[in-house]
Amino acid sequence: MNYKNIETVKRLDFDRLDTVVSERIGALKLLAQGMTKRQVNDDICRDLILPCVYALAQFIESVQIGGEEKTNGD
């Protein structure tokens, strides 16, 4: 049997991914901390920061490390 997905995942550069994601989170943090109350900044929050944080929250919810495993319907 050919397990293409497993082979693809094994080739991923997780160290680079970790670095790039950490850099982007840091940039979002700096951007968010420097926000002033202006319409353009509110639009940036709506269109960039909040969707990114939502995607990260979904990722964190999906990947459990230790502890109890999440099951559907329980």
Side-chain angles (χ1 to χ4, degrees):
M1 196 177 276
N2 187 4
Y3 298 102
K4 288 193 269 185
N5 294 319
I6 293 171
E7 294 306 317
T8 299
V9 168
K10 285 183 176 183
R11 288 190 304 271
L12 293 174
D13 184 352
F14 281 101
D15 290 333
R16 178 74 180 132
L17 183 61
D18 181 34
T19 299
V20 171
V21 169
S22 294
E23 288 172 351
R24 298 313 189 276
I25 291 171
L28 278 179
K29 177 183 173 183
L30 290 174
L31 180 64
Q33 289 174 338
M35 291 277 173
T36 57
K37 291 185 178 181
R38 294 176 39 210
Q39 184 60 46
V40 68
N41 289 339
D42 194 61
D43 293 346
I44 290 168
C45 288
R46 180 196 65 218
D47 297 338
L48 175 66
I49 296 174
L50 291 174
C52 289
V53 170
Y54 178 71
L56 286 168
Q58 287 182 308
F59 170 77
I60 291 166
E61 184 71 23
S62 297
V63 179
Q64 299 293 319
I65 300 175
E68 296 181 21
E69 288 189 26
K70 191 175 179 183
T71 58
N72 291 335
D74 290 339

